[in-house]
Amino acid sequence: MKLVRYFPVAVDSIRANKMRASLTMLGIIIGVAAVLIILGVGRGASEDILGEVASQGTTRLTISPSTENEGEGAGSAVETLTMGDVRTLSDPAFHPDVRQIVPQYGGNIQLVAGNENTRARVTGTTAAYADVHRLEIAEGRFLTEDEITQMSNVIVIGTTVATDLFERTQVVGESVRIDGEPFTVVGVLEESGNAGFGSNDESGFIPIGVAHGRVFNVPRYRGEYVVTSISADAVSEERVDAAERQIEQTLRLRHGLGADDDSDFSISTQASLLDTIGSVTSTLTLLLSSIAAISLLVGGIGIMNIMLVSVTERTKEIGLRKALGAHTSDVLLQFLVESLVLTLLGGLIGIGISYGAAVLVSRVPGFPIDVLIGIDALVMALGVSAGCGLVFGLYPAMRATRLDPIVALRYE
Amino acid sequence: MADSSTLIDMQNITKVYQMGETKVLALNGVSLSIEEGEYIAIVGTSGSGKSTLMNIIGLLDSPTEGVFQIRGQRADGLTGRQLADLRNREIGFVFQQFNLLARAAAWRQVELPLFYANVARSAARGRALETLAQVGLAERADHKPEELSGGQQQRVAIARALVNRPSLLLADEPTGALDTRTGEEVLALFEKLHQEGLTLVIITHDQEVAERARRVITMRDGAIISDSPGAAATAAYGGSNGLSEPALAPLPRPVAIEQIQERVYEAG
Ligand SMILES: Nc1ncnc2c1ncn2[C@@H]1O[C@H](COP(=O)(O)OP(=O)(O)OP(=O)(O)O)[C@@H](O)[C@H]1O
Ligand SMILES: [Mg+2]
């Protein structure tokens, strides 16, 4: 294509003004690098969270009671999810796609050992909890079936709880008191490493029966202890939806809900959680990138400014080129290509910088997230740079074409 | 109507420059016809309108009034694109101020018209170097204007005017910055090209240069005051020098502006 002819001309002209060209490019460089790094951080963070969620199993479903939406207790949980529901849901004949059902009843409570005490989220549950929630045990083991049925006074604790109470984590066999009642520590969980999402570092787990009968003052509904949530595990990722339908059907039936009644519970799946997290992080990333995009805009205006100066400065050259036979389109393309080369070069340098930053971050040990820059982001950065060049170069280039050759030649 | 060998035909051309409130009448009713293959010298005092006339002939400027035709075609009927192509292919222009690009090597300057004639880059370089050699600057091809003497810059400008093998060469003081010997070489080159059919129009202050032309046009105050065969043409008949400068030229006086203003307003 004919356009290629103008590149050497543009490169010559940029070379002749290296300092000015590099200052001009700086705006684009910073803009592109900022957008790419922010996109990379956003992507790195979301992959991190998504990975965390996925590592806890993508086959899990969580059944929670709905919240009251009117009356005095508005906002608090409807207490209609019970151990009776758990027992019914555990019947594989009606729930062929549900592999495990795990009840939970939890609350924040004081744990005491010797003179030390700490508040922790203590959850009463069953042995299958460790499997369904993919818990990793650092010391000892999780609760056993026997301990559940015998309602033994045993507890599994997180690392923060262990260090708070004993200043160490090798505490299997030690005793912890809840409300004066001693509990034997049978296991310590692996440290989750991240303080945020899905961490069990500040948790404790005891048999569900102990939680219901002795630790918490648990209300009953239709003669059964209520639970704060039920976890279910589907047989496979593909069967999660089927499992959800089976659970919903059973619960609506048991709770005596008519066809038009709203459910008094909700079922969330890890898959839907992944969706939510994905959309939250992408919204956040979009917001941050639009802020970074403003610096691109500023850079583009810088390009326009310099190109206008350049056109004025080179009035004589433009006049000469026209006198020697340049068409209007030749002058237009010359200046457009020049600004295109400037922005593309700036874009490439910006990409280089953002890549450098990504590599640097990945070398820092213990840095919480990776900066992930995808090919799509690179292509976008180049496209935006080129677009900037064309958009902001157009007006100066058009100014150049309007010059009258004889007037331009006389310009000093 | 001009016949087929007429290259340029001008009838009653005026050119008015507007300088704020005042108007400058640079050309005042010039009629001139240039045949293919002519060798013309234009002389006249400074400010008499020579460069202005040359710009119009070179399709760089348009007259305020009057009819300008190139090869029988009215210039005001041509598009910008057509004018650019004519400037590029038919006309070589050597400017009074050389008008070289500040930072480009000599061969790049010479190559410029070829770029706009869409000549391939490799071929263009070859032709640029060849033309530079013709003006005796083969070894200076890679030098920038700031590294060249005034005379050398002048020759780069001449090479640039010739590189596209124009049929009409317009040279505004082409030997002004040259010493006698280089000036002679450049004129010899012009004359050789003229032998080969190039139409030559040279503005000069140099009597000797003017005397070599076949036709000498003298200007004063924007008008042609004499148009006669040059010494070279008349020498064969033993005639006198065709330059008819009066021994005592009257001092240039300001043109009656009001008179022209009226005309300009009527015209447009
Ligand atoms: N762009 C312009 N604006 C205003 N006046 C102009 C312009 N160009 C030329 N003139 C005026 O027109 C007149 C003719 O100028 P021109 O350049 O044609 O003279 P010249 O014969 O070439 O002189 P020289 O021998 O000094 O080059 C001068 O009075 C000059 O001041
Ligand atoms: Mg002049």
Side-chain angles (χ1 to χ4, degrees):
Chain A
M1 178 151 151
K2 212 183 154 200
L3 202 65
V4 180
R5 285 158 45 80
Y6 300 89
F7 277 89
V9 183
V11 170
D12 279 350
S13 148
I14 290 169
R15 267 218 211 112
N17 259 311
K18 285 197 199 74
M19 184 65 186
R20 199 174 71 188
S22 24
L23 285 176
T24 311
M25 279 190 294
L26 207 58
I28 298 291
I29 293 173
I30 292 172
V32 166
V35 171
L36 281 182
I37 289 174
I38 287 172
L39 282 179
V41 167
R43 193 156 157 164
S46 91
E47 300 257 298
D48 200 47
I49 298 170
L50 294 179
E52 189 70 39
V53 172
S55 77
Q56 293 172 20
T58 48
T59 51
R60 196 169 76 223
L61 301 94
T62 306
I63 306 141
S64 328
S66 305
T67 46
E68 300 275 8
N69 46 20
E70 50 196 46
E72 235 174 86
S76 64
V78 181
E79 295 185 318
T80 53
L81 219 50
T82 65
M83 287 305 282
D85 293 328
V86 172
R87 268 197 310 281
T88 313
L89 287 172
S90 301
D91 182 352
F94 296 102
H95 315 97
D97 289 312
V98 178
R99 200 173 60 86
Q100 299 268 25
I101 286 288
V102 181
Q104 286 134 57
Y105 191 94
N108 288 315
I109 205 165
Q110 198 84 4
L111 298 184
V112 184
N115 293 329
E116 303 293 332
N117 69 77
T118 185
R119 269 188 95 74
R121 170 141 191 106
V122 172
T123 304
T125 187
T126 58
Y129 185 95
D131 173 35
V132 172
H133 288 258
R134 314 276 151 104
L135 290 187
E136 309 255 7
I137 310 291
E139 301 278 327
R141 53 170 176 76
F142 198 69
L143 309 170
T144 62
E145 297 281 1
D146 281 350
E147 285 161 351
I148 307 298
T149 46
Q150 287 162 21
M151 298 206 282
S152 315
N153 272 8
V154 288
I155 187 165
V156 172
I157 55 177
T159 48
T160 311
V161 176
T163 47
D164 281 356
L165 293 177
F166 304 102
E167 288 173 341
R168 59 198 163 90
T169 54
Q170 294 89 337
V171 294
V172 173
E174 296 284 351
S175 181
V176 170
R177 269 172 298 127
I178 301 173
D179 254 347
E181 233 187 293
F183 281 73
T184 309
V185 177
V186 294
V188 178
L189 297 174
E190 192 80 60
E191 187 171 0
S192 24
N194 70 330
F197 199 82
S199 166
N200 280 315
D201 292 350
E202 291 173 44
S203 304
F205 294 94
I206 55 176
I208 181 84
V210 179
H212 276 143
R214 302 209 283 269
V215 174
F216 300 105
N217 184 19
V218 182
R220 290 171 188 253
Y221 175 70
R222 293 184 184 163
E224 297 274 6
Y225 282 124
V226 304
V227 294
T228 42
S229 65
I230 302 170
S231 295
D233 202 24
V235 291
S236 69
E237 215 175 310
E238 294 73 48
R239 304 305 295 169
V240 168
D241 288 345
E244 183 177 349
R245 277 195 301 277
Q246 291 155 14
I247 292 167
E248 189 176 4
Q249 205 169 20
T250 298
L251 289 180
R252 287 183 67 85
L253 212 65
R254 272 188 55 89
H255 294 190
L257 297 170
D260 296 333
D261 294 334
D262 286 339
S263 291
D264 56 353
F265 58 91
S266 66
I267 305 174
S268 68
T269 62
Q270 291 297 91
S272 65
L273 186 60
L274 287 177
D275 278 354
T276 312
I277 292 170
S279 74
V280 167
T281 52
S282 61
T283 309
L284 210 66
T285 307
L286 190 72
L287 190 79
L288 289 173
S289 332
S290 20
I291 294 170
I294 292 173
S295 67
L296 256 183
L297 183 75
V298 173
I301 293 169
I303 294 266
M304 175 138 89
N305 187 20
I306 291 296
M307 292 307 293
L308 280 174
V309 170
S310 176
V311 166
T312 312
E313 210 178 73
R314 285 152 70 192
T315 299
K316 212 167 170 134
E317 175 191 331
I318 296 163
L320 178 71
R321 286 177 182 275
K322 285 191 162 179
L324 295 179
H327 293 164
T328 305
S329 62
D330 288 317
V331 177
L332 186 79
L333 286 175
Q334 181 189 337
F335 281 88
L336 266 188
V337 168
E338 192 173 321
S339 80
L340 189 70
V341 168
L342 269 180
T343 51
L344 271 181
L345 218 60
L348 282 174
I349 295 173
I351 286 172
I353 288 176
S354 58
Y355 249 102
V359 170
L360 217 66
V361 157
S362 72
R363 296 253 169 92
V364 176
F367 199 81
I369 50 164
D370 283 336
V371 178
L372 298 176
I373 300 170
I375 294 292
D376 48 345
L378 290 192
V379 170
M380 187 210 70
L382 276 185
V384 168
S385 311
C388 259
L390 292 180
V391 168
F392 294 108
L394 190 63
Y395 174 65
M398 288 191 12
R399 283 266 294 248
T401 63
R402 281 195 217 115
L403 289 170
D404 178 40
I406 200 75
V407 175
L409 272 174
R410 282 178 167 274
Y411 182 87
E412 289 303 330
Chain B
M1 186 61 213
D3 62 72
S4 62
S5 70
T6 304
L7 197 53
I8 303 288
D9 188 65
M10 309 192 330
Q11 293 303 323
N12 238 335
I13 296 285
T14 59
K15 179 73 191 178
V16 178
Y17 287 112
Q18 178 89 49
M19 300 273 292
E21 288 294 291
T22 57
K23 288 187 155 84
V24 178
L25 184 62
L27 289 180
N28 184 9
V30 172
S31 296
L32 174 67
S33 165
I34 299 173
E35 304 294 312
E36 211 125 21
E38 275 201 280
Y39 180 179
I40 302 175
I42 301 180
V43 297
T45 49
S46 181
S48 57
K50 305 183 295 295
S51 295
T52 306
L53 180 65
M54 198 72 122
N55 288 340
I56 290 173
I57 298 174
L59 301 174
L60 282 172
D61 211 349
S62 46
T64 313
E65 252 189 89
V67 179
F68 180 95
Q69 287 181 305
I70 178 159
R71 287 192 205 280
Q73 247 187 322
R74 285 182 66 123
D76 51 10
L78 297 172
T79 63
R81 203 166 241 280
Q82 287 171 317
L83 288 172
D85 284 342
L86 280 173
R87 286 199 295 268
N88 184 251
R89 284 168 207 171
E90 295 286 335
I91 301 167
F93 211 116
V94 183
F95 301 94
Q96 192 165 10
Q97 301 86 12
F98 325 129
N99 283 336
L100 297 178
L101 294 179
R103 295 185 196 85
W107 75 270
R108 288 219 183 256
Q109 317 255 7
V110 177
E111 191 198 35
L112 263 185
L114 299 172
F115 180 83
Y116 294 115
N118 291 324
V119 175
R121 220 166 141 73
S122 51
R125 190 184 148 88
R127 251 167 82 183
L129 293 176
E130 203 177 291
T131 316
L132 272 175
Q134 278 191 312
V135 296
L137 281 180
E139 307 92 72
R140 294 280 183 275
D142 291 321
H143 288 232
K144 292 177 180 160
E146 65 208 24
E147 302 158 353
L148 296 170
S149 73
Q152 288 168 334
Q153 291 183 34
Q154 177 81 297
R155 283 184 280 159
V156 173
I158 290 168
R160 187 179 61 193
L162 292 175
V163 74
N164 240 350
R165 320 252 157 90
S167 51
L168 173 62
L169 183 76
L170 305 171
D172 201 341
E173 297 271 4
T175 57
L178 305 180
D179 61 72
T180 337
R181 227 199 74 193
T182 359
E184 173 55 40
E185 275 171 24
V186 164
L187 280 179
L189 173 65
F190 282 180
E191 279 160 14
K192 178 172 155 275
L193 294 169
H194 171 243
Q195 296 293 315
E196 292 165 9
L198 178 72
T199 308
L200 208 53
V201 180
I202 298 178
I203 294 180
T204 185
H205 279 115
D206 189 335
Q207 284 293 337
E208 276 181 49
V209 175
E211 276 167 22
R212 296 168 73 142
R214 305 290 179 277
R215 181 178 169 193
V216 178
I217 293 170
T218 310
M219 295 191 65
R220 180 177 303 141
D221 293 343
I224 293 175
I225 55 166
S226 98
D227 183 349
S228 57
T234 51
Y237 310 102
S240 71
N241 179 344
L243 295 176
S244 49
E245 277 295 301
L248 261 174
L251 286 170
R253 66 196 148 70
V255 184
I257 303 292
E258 296 75 31
Q259 228 179 314
I260 307 142
Q261 267 174 337
E262 271 174 32
R263 258 204 287 164
V264 172
Y265 286 142
E266 274 167 25

